[in-house]
Amino acid sequence: MLKQNLIKAFLYLTTKLAGAGFLYLVMSGYLLISTGFDLYEFVEEISHGFLWFVVYVYGILCSIIIDLLTYKVSKKQFSVKILLYVVAGYAFFIVREINIIMLIAGTVGALCSIIFYVGAYNSFRFQSFKYAVIIAPLFVTMLMNFDFTEKEQWVEVRSDHTYIATFEYFNGKHEIPFHVKEGQAITVFHDFKNTNGGGHGFHFLSGKNNVIGMTEVSEKKVKIEIQDSGVYSMVVTGDDVKGSFIVTWEIDEDG
């Protein structure tokens, strides 16, 4: 009896994983098209923890709750489930505040909820579909281990406190490491010359690879307080850009 219940529970859970996997694949396809098949940008977008939370935690949890709420509903169960999935899609966003942006986001959330339900429903009917949409997202996640940055005619010059790079094409990211200790502070000057209208930006990562905050000192100068010793990095990003940039830094021993 226990074995049968465990098997039923496992099969039930696989339908929820199938729903989440189907939604994740649909989102992946949309992001791949919307980024113009730019693999670097696609991987950056699909890697966000928020996306994983919404699909695999919030989505599965809401689906289980909806099943419990409709368990004894015999008539019009399909319609009731669809309504509850739509409500769950909106609730994730409008529970914070109600405005036009949240309503638009809620509409997208409701559409995603329906896609989740379609995936879970079809997994009941087609076993091959079920396991395909469970396994397929694993291949998408494998892309996260690759860096799809593209550089053409990249020339760099580095000294103890300066980094200069010129390039004909840059799409992706480039990291400039700093070896620092707890209690120190880094003051960084940065200047990016864009000659073709492409996009660019920058952010900083801690030794634990987390994005950290910075204080703006002037238009092209920022300061970062060091909480833990390690190798911090300035990450310069480019979006189909041509040009050059220079980064100089000073390390203040007293913070």
Side-chain angles (χ1 to χ4, degrees):
M1 186 68 178
L2 177 60
K3 184 178 180 180
Q4 290 180 339
N5 289 334
L6 289 174
I7 292 174
K8 287 181 180 179
F10 172 76
L11 292 175
Y12 175 77
L13 181 59
T14 58
T15 64
K16 301 309 175 185
L17 289 173
F22 183 62
L23 175 57
Y24 185 80
L25 287 176
V26 171
M27 286 183 166
S28 297
Y30 170 78
L31 288 173
L32 188 60
I33 294 172
S34 65
T35 57
F37 295 90
D38 183 329
L39 289 178
Y40 168 76
E41 189 175 350
F42 167 72
V43 169
E44 289 293 301
E45 294 291 338
I46 206 69
S47 300
H48 285 312
F50 173 78
L51 183 63
W52 284 90
F53 173 81
V54 170
V55 174
Y56 281 93
V57 179
Y58 182 77
I60 290 177
L61 181 61
C62 284
S63 184
I64 292 173
I65 292 174
I66 289 171
D67 285 348
L68 291 174
L69 292 175
T70 59
Y71 179 70
K72 293 186 178 181
V73 177
S74 56
K75 296 181 179 180
K76 297 183 179 180
Q77 187 183 73
F78 177 79
S79 299
V80 174
K81 278 194 172 185
I82 291 294
L83 177 61
L84 290 176
Y85 271 92
V86 170
V87 170
Y90 273 101
F92 184 83
F93 296 96
I94 64 175
V95 71
R96 305 170 191 177
E97 60 177 308
I98 300 178
N99 55 46
I100 187 63
I101 295 176
M102 289 300 171
L103 287 175
I104 293 173
T107 301
V108 174
L111 177 61
C112 289
S113 294
I114 298 302
I115 294 172
F116 183 107
Y117 178 69
V118 170
Y121 179 78
N122 282 323
S123 72
F124 274 113
R125 304 177 61 191
F126 309 105
Q127 291 297 309
S128 58
F129 171 85
K130 175 194 288 188
Y131 294 108
V133 294
I134 288 176
I135 296 173
L138 298 177
F139 294 98
V140 178
T141 59
M142 288 175 61
L143 295 176
M144 299 178 190
N145 297 314
F146 297 91
D147 183 3
F148 292 98
T149 295
E150 296 180 69
K151 299 175 182 176
E152 294 181 7
Q153 299 183 40
W154 182 279
V155 179
E156 60 183 48
V157 177
R158 176 168 182 146
S159 64
D160 290 340
H161 296 280
T162 304
Y163 184 92
I164 302 172
T166 60
F167 42 86
E168 287 297 306
Y169 180 78
F170 175 35
N171 186 70
K173 63 183 178 181
H174 182 82
E175 296 188 12
I176 304 171
F178 310 100
H179 295 266
V180 289
K181 298 178 181 179
E182 180 182 353
Q184 293 181 331
I186 313 173
T187 301
V188 180
F189 170 83
H190 57 93
D191 187 21
F192 201 112
K193 301 295 184 183
N194 181 335
T195 61
N196 72 338
H200 60 86
F202 71 95
H203 59 273
F204 290 88
L205 297 177
S206 69
K208 298 179 181 179
N209 213 36
N210 296 320
V211 177
I212 56 176
M214 51 190 168
T215 302
E216 186 173 358
V217 178
S218 61
E219 182 181 359
K220 297 181 179 181
K221 184 181 291 187
V222 297
K223 186 175 184 179
I224 303 96
E225 304 289 342
I226 305 302
Q227 303 298 324
D228 300 295
S229 300
V231 180
Y232 285 56
S233 299
M234 178 179 181
V235 183
V236 182
T237 59
D239 184 6
D240 299 328
V241 64
K242 172 184 177 181
S244 63
F245 65 83
I246 179 172
V247 176
T248 62
W249 61 91
E250 297 178 355
I251 298 178
D252 184 352
E253 296 293 337
D254 299 323

